[in-house]
Amino acid sequence: MSRFQVRKVAVLGAGVMGAQIAAHLVNVKVPVVLFDLPAKEGPKNGIVTKAIENLKKLKPAPLGVADDAALIQAANYEENLSLLGECDLIIEAIAERMDWKLDLYKKIAPHVAKHAIVASNTSGLSITKLSEALPEAIKPRFCGIHFFNPPRYMYLVELIATPTTQPAILDQLETFVTSGLGKGVVRAKDTPNFIANRVGIAGMLATMKEVENFGLSYDVVDDLTGKKLGRASSGTFRTADVVGLDTMAHVIKTLQDNLDEKSDPFYASFGTPAVLKTLIEMGHLGQKSKAGFYKKVGRDILRFDLEAKEYVPGGQKSDAVYERMLKKPAGERLKLLRNAEGAQGRFLWAILRNSFHYAAVHLATIAETAADVDLAMRWGFGMKQGPFELWQEAGWLEVAKMIQEDIDAGKALSKAPLPKWVFEGPVAKAGGVHTPEGSFNPTTGKFQPRSQLPVYGIQYFRESLRGDGSADYKTAGKTLHEDEAIRIWTLDENREAVTGSVLIASIKSKMHAIGPGVVEGLVRAVELAEADYQGLVIWSGDEPFSVGADLQATLPAFMVAGVGAIEGAEQEMQQMMLRLRYAGVPVISAVRGMALGGGCELAVYSARRVVAMESYIGLVEVGVGLVPGAGGLTYIARRAAENMATSTGKDLLPFLTEGFTAAAMAKVGTSALESRKLGYLLDSDIIVPNKDELLYTALNEARAMYQGGWRAPHRRPFPVAGRNGLATIRAQLVNMRDGGFISAHDFHIATLIAEVVCGGDVDAGSLVTEEYLMALERKAFCSLIVHPKTQERIMGMLNTGKPVRN
């Protein structure tokens, strides 16, 4: 079969989900046509045009760059159905009404290309029933595709086959969604709410029921069920507010309408909670209506009181004893919670027990393997571990016995016993559902390997499951050097034929901060790469790429030796950056997550950047009262000169303004696309939709550059804006200070930034070197480090993690 190419996609339905799916397609450079009904008044595409304009206002932003909304082609069902013939993939995303969807399918069927895949983005309707309205020719190319909201940010996509869906079609779609859209795919069975919402919403309902049983407040529950429990920081009720209480009620109704006591032994706990019903009746739908379980009044967060039907002061925290319990090893943790005397501990055991119980009872009906359930809950509900992973870590049979004892004692939500496979056969023998051979499939009674589609061959360190024996990037391959700060290594021999001989440097410090050990390690990595390898890739395995200089590591030296120690450390960082830029082999920064301050400088001094779509890049030193001191300002000045050289303009200042503003205002690109617009990424840099393909792409890029005869750029002086440019920028800063837009200290910092990027007190057009500008950077940086206002900002950031404005 020839390769499935997605040259254009049609999205049917310009509602919240449809428009945002279209936006994400634009983010990953896929041409898209967005359809909706013809408007009754004005231009026929009015409904779609309005939806596209609204994308620019939504938060979190669905578009990497707001102006890219213009790339979405507007269409309507009356005039433009012929456009469907140009589309390789059609995603239907209209309202959750079976009759509406079936009518639309009949309308579009004659216009669908013979090879096109048609998929419904439903959150719970039967995919098989939807397929019945399609002609026989389209049925083999029809399936369900369930994006989670918001589609740009949520990693999970569920694919659902019908009995007539061709297996090859699902493979093609999974490949495109994984690599093209950057998502994690789970295949679900065609059951109500599929996997993540089925297990997740049942879990939220069970939690709400246990909240009533134990008499806990919403804020205490959210504190218990957030990060402390290894779940999304928003906990339970704040998550419901973010999702939308009306959306949650709709998903609950899908369960109520499509299940009963026979098909789901937990059905009795699916009643709409009284508090949810009350809030919806009051029009309090959560974050979108600015009131739900919580309401913000000024700076205060209030919580809803069902009895009083009004909002009362919130902010209560859980008892510290349970926080300590939750830090214990899994087996010990669950025993302590089960035997706890306090309501909060017993509540935690109850919701964990309920999640294990529900997942085990329903595994065979909703998913092929336990891996699908655990990955769906991690990717769709922000859990660090899926229910089976935690159960397995805590001791499979021991936890199973505790669950069954509670079921027998009538403490569980359902009397349904745990399935036999829990206690007997391969799972009991292996001590869990995940093994190096695969994850348990209850239908076959065997451990089934995860999908081996070719697209997963380029994910060298695919997201693993506890117990599956996957390679760990922290120990994989061959180590050439390792210490507390850095690991320098290559992939093992069986990768060499694919990747070539490219060295990898992985920073090990907390948040991958750049301290003296990292500086020394990166210089060593360059030397090793130049001696025996084709390139160097800086990739640390997980997020962030780097949050910049390690201030905490630098402060003791400053306290002992004064500002001289700081200047020495800054100079070493600057020299390391130049060493990367002028290395004898290409240096690639593989960026994922935050690349801030020194992390941004590390990226821009590399020969090339390979960047995950959801990366956040910027020079943020102003937030702690400093200026970029490891070459960031020098980079801004040099890039301005390079951009001017390729244009007909002779005035340097217009080319400098954007870079200066970004540094002075600590602007951060909130996507790789926006970071490119700010100048931190170049057109030659590569943006990768799927984070797990980053290392593969970076290694290939380094190898290709080397084999293509790559050489480092010449060291050459470049022109600066000089005192004339500085005077112009300073005048604008004076207006901002006098107008109250910036503080006196902000003015002082911004002036120092301007002095560096303009080259100081020199004539306009004067030629300078990178070393000259870096000396100005160090001088400005060191003058600020001793400034009381800057020290207030540094201590405030270290103590609270939040910027101090003084």
Side-chain angles (χ1 to χ4, degrees):
M1 184 180 288
S2 60
R3 181 167 64 93
F4 178 63
Q5 298 181 57
V6 180
R7 289 157 293 196
K8 185 182 282 189
V9 176
V11 177
L12 312 181
V16 174
M17 278 302 288
Q20 290 197 65
I21 291 169
H24 186 60
L25 287 160
V26 165
N27 290 337
V28 295
K29 296 187 177 179
V30 177
V32 59
V33 188
L34 181 60
F35 281 83
D36 211 304
L37 295 166
K40 292 179 181 177
E41 296 178 3
K44 287 287 178 73
N45 286 335
I47 293 171
V48 177
T49 303
K50 186 177 179 182
I52 293 171
E53 277 302 306
N54 193 49
L55 288 170
K56 300 176 186 178
K57 305 170 191 173
L58 290 179
K59 298 292 179 186
L63 289 156
V65 176
D67 292 345
D68 283 354
L71 300 177
I72 301 173
Q73 184 179 353
N76 66 80
Y77 303 127
E78 186 177 297
E79 300 175 316
N80 309 119
L81 285 178
S82 61
L83 291 174
L84 293 174
E86 303 171 8
C87 299
D88 306 295
L89 172 62
I90 298 168
I91 300 173
E92 172 271 304
I94 69 169
E96 293 285 86
R97 282 273 301 268
M98 180 72 75
D99 53 342
W100 291 0
K101 289 178 186 283
L102 296 179
D103 284 346
L104 180 59
Y105 293 173
K106 289 173 186 174
K107 188 179 291 184
I108 67 167
H111 304 276
V112 174
K114 291 181 179 180
H115 70 283
I117 295 175
V118 181
S120 175
N121 180 63
T122 178
S123 60
L125 295 179
S126 169
I127 303 299
T128 302
K129 285 183 181 177
L130 288 172
S131 73
E132 290 168 2
L134 291 167
E136 292 300 317
I138 295 179
K139 283 182 181 180
R141 294 179 279 117
F142 178 77
C143 63
I145 183 169
H146 182 212
F147 288 86
F148 273 63
N149 192 21
R152 171 185 162 186
Y153 301 94
M154 294 301 289
Y155 190 58
L156 177 64
V157 170
E158 293 173 318
L159 296 184
I160 309 97
T162 74
T164 55
T165 306
Q166 281 184 358
I169 291 294
L170 230 57
D171 289 349
Q172 291 171 345
L173 189 55
E174 181 167 348
T175 298
F176 170 68
V177 171
T178 300
S179 198
L181 302 187
K183 300 300 179 187
V185 172
V186 164
R187 295 197 187 186
K189 292 187 179 180
D190 191 9
T191 54
N193 289 343
F194 311 126
I195 298 175
N197 274 343
R198 176 71 175 274
V199 176
I201 295 299
M204 290 180 81
L205 286 169
T207 299
M208 291 181 183
K209 203 168 186 67
E210 299 294 0
V211 166
E212 293 174 12
N213 292 343
F214 290 97
L216 302 177
S217 64
Y218 307 135
D219 41 9
V220 167
V221 170
D222 278 352
D223 189 46
L224 286 169
T225 59
K227 282 188 176 179
K228 292 174 184 177
L229 197 60
R231 297 184 177 181
S233 57
S234 50
T236 301
F237 295 99
R238 200 172 301 281
T239 295
D241 276 353
V242 171
V243 169
L245 304 191
D246 53 340
T247 302
M248 187 177 171
H250 170 76
V251 177
I252 293 169
K253 192 171 188 304
T254 302
L255 292 177
Q256 293 167 345
D257 292 348
N258 294 282
L259 296 170
D260 54 31
E261 287 84 354
K262 287 183 180 179
S263 57
D264 194 320
F266 294 79
Y267 186 78
S269 62
F270 289 167
T272 306
V275 62
L276 187 63
K277 199 179 290 184
T278 300
L279 285 167
I280 291 172
E281 287 171 356
M282 294 172 71
H284 297 173
L285 306 179
Q287 191 170 278
K288 63 179 117 181
S289 65
K290 299 184 179 178
F293 286 103
Y294 298 97
K295 181 179 182 181
K296 190 173 182 181
V297 178
R299 293 187 178 182
D300 297 326
I301 303 293
L302 307 182
R303 63 173 170 82
F304 187 68
D305 184 291
L306 178 60
E307 198 172 318
K309 291 190 179 180
E310 60 182 34
Y311 289 88
V312 298
Q316 287 185 325
K317 299 291 182 183
S318 59
D319 294 342
V321 66
Y322 299 110
E323 185 173 0
R324 291 195 293 273
M325 280 187 191
L326 290 171
K327 290 179 180 177
K328 299 282 186 184
E332 185 181 350
R333 183 192 324 158
L334 295 189
K335 286 178 190 172
L336 286 170
L337 293 174
R338 190 184 186 219
N339 297 320
E341 293 182 4
Q344 294 179 23
R346 287 182 288 121
F347 160 78
L348 284 170
W349 161 250
I351 64 170
L352 290 171
R353 176 203 63 216
N354 295 340
S355 71
F356 300 151
H357 189 191
Y358 193 86
V361 167
H362 289 292
L363 175 59
T365 55
I366 64 174
E368 274 194 5
T369 73
D372 296 320
V373 172
D374 279 345
L375 291 172
M377 297 313 296
R378 274 161 50 171
W379 296 342
F381 278 79
M383 293 183 176
K384 283 187 178 176
Q385 290 179 301
F388 290 121
E389 287 182 286
L390 176 56
W391 181 351
Q392 182 164 330
E393 183 187 359
W396 185 265
L397 286 175
E398 200 168 356
V399 173
K401 287 171 185 172
M402 292 194 293
I403 298 168
Q404 191 60 53
E405 283 172 10
D406 278 13
I407 296 168
D408 295 340
K411 296 178 181 178
L413 291 178
S414 167
K415 294 178 181 178
L418 289 173
K420 285 185 180 179
W421 59 259
V422 170
F423 295 101
E424 302 171 6
V427 171
K429 187 176 179 181
V433 292
H434 303 304
T435 71
E437 290 75 41
S439 295
F440 187 65
N441 181 328
T443 305
T444 63
K446 297 177 181 178
F447 293 110
Q448 179 177 312
R450 285 171 68 184
S451 171
Q452 297 301 308
L453 286 173
V455 70
Y456 297 117
I458 61 176
Q459 295 184 3
Y460 288 157
F461 297 98
R462 190 176 177 186
E463 203 160 327
S464 62
L465 290 154
R466 184 175 188 86
D468 71 359
S470 296
D472 185 345
Y473 68 85
K474 293 175 183 175
T475 55
K478 179 183 176 183
T479 300
L480 279 74
H481 167 80
E482 185 167 14
D483 55 32
E484 291 181 355
I486 200 164
R487 179 179 179 231
I488 304 169
W489 58 291
T490 60
L491 281 170
D492 53 25
E493 289 302 318
N494 64 348
R495 297 287 193 195
E496 290 298 323
V498 180
T499 62
S501 301
V502 176
L503 206 57
I504 304 167
S506 296
I507 301 171
K508 293 170 57 180
S509 55
K510 185 179 179 182
M511 302 291 281
H512 303 144
I514 304 170
V518 173
V519 171
E520 186 180 329
L522 287 172
V523 172
R524 184 170 188 170
V526 171
E527 291 170 352
L528 289 169
E530 287 176 330
D532 293 308
Y533 294 88
Q534 294 183 5
L536 171 66
V537 169
I538 302 171
W539 176 84
S540 300
D542 54 8
E543 298 181 17
F545 175 70
S546 173
V547 294
D550 190 344
L551 287 174
Q552 284 182 308
T554 309
L555 284 176
F558 172 59
M559 300 301 290
V560 173
V563 75
I566 298 294
E567 184 172 11
E570 284 299 302
Q571 188 165 13
E572 286 181 5
M573 278 189 72
Q574 291 173 340
Q575 289 170 346
M576 180 268 289
M577 298 295 178
L578 292 175
R579 188 74 178 88
L580 298 181
R581 174 166 164 74
Y582 296 108
V585 292
V587 177
I588 311 291
S589 277
V591 179
R592 172 182 167 190
M594 294 183 291
L596 306 178
C600 174
E601 290 166 318
L602 192 59
V604 300
Y605 274 86
S606 299
R608 190 152 295 171
R609 288 135 295 277
V610 176
V611 186
M613 176 67 72
E614 292 306 322
S615 295
Y616 309 91
I617 305 174
L619 297 169
V620 296
E621 286 83 353
V622 169
V624 288
L626 294 168
V627 298
L633 300 182
T634 300
Y635 167 80
I636 288 170
R638 176 173 56 77
R639 282 297 301 156
E642 289 169 350
N643 287 336
M644 184 185 75
T646 60
S647 78
T648 55
K650 298 300 178 186
D651 182 5
L652 186 55
L653 196 59
F655 298 95
L656 188 63
T657 302
E658 188 170 60
F660 163 77
T661 304
M665 296 182 67
K667 281 187 179 180
V668 174
T670 55
S671 68
L673 299 171
E674 192 175 22
S675 297
R676 178 176 276 165
K677 203 171 179 184
L678 290 175
Y680 297 129
L681 298 180
L682 309 181
D683 288 340
S684 57
D685 294 330
I686 299 170
I687 297 174
V688 180
N690 195 307
K691 60 184 175 55
D692 292 332
E693 296 176 12
L694 201 61
L695 181 59
Y696 169 86
T697 307
L699 291 170
N700 273 355
E701 186 67 11
R703 187 168 55 113
M705 289 171 70
Y706 178 87
Q707 294 175 359
W710 180 89
R711 285 190 175 274
H714 285 292
R715 291 176 179 262
R716 66 175 74 206
F718 49 88
V720 288
R723 64 178 71 88
N724 291 349
L726 175 57
T728 302
I729 294 173
R730 187 181 172 88
Q732 293 171 345
L733 292 173
V734 167
N735 289 337
M736 292 179 71
R737 180 197 62 193
D738 293 349
F741 296 103
I742 58 175
S743 70
H745 195 49
D746 287 329
F747 171 80
H748 176 57
I749 297 167
T751 301
L752 290 175
I753 291 174
E755 287 175 1
V756 176
V757 298
C758 291
D761 189 18
V762 297
D763 293 335
S766 294
L767 297 179
V768 302
T769 64
E770 288 170 299
E771 289 83 356
Y772 167 81
L773 288 181
M774 284 180 170
L776 294 182
E777 277 189 31
R778 290 197 305 275
K779 182 181 176 183
F781 189 94
C782 292
S783 72
L784 286 168
I785 201 82
V786 296
H787 198 294
K789 293 282 187 184
T790 286
Q791 290 178 356
E792 281 179 26
R793 291 191 182 188
I794 292 172
M795 295 312 297
M797 180 62 76
L798 291 176
N799 291 331
T800 68
K802 296 178 181 178
V804 174
R805 289 298 175 199
N806 54 4

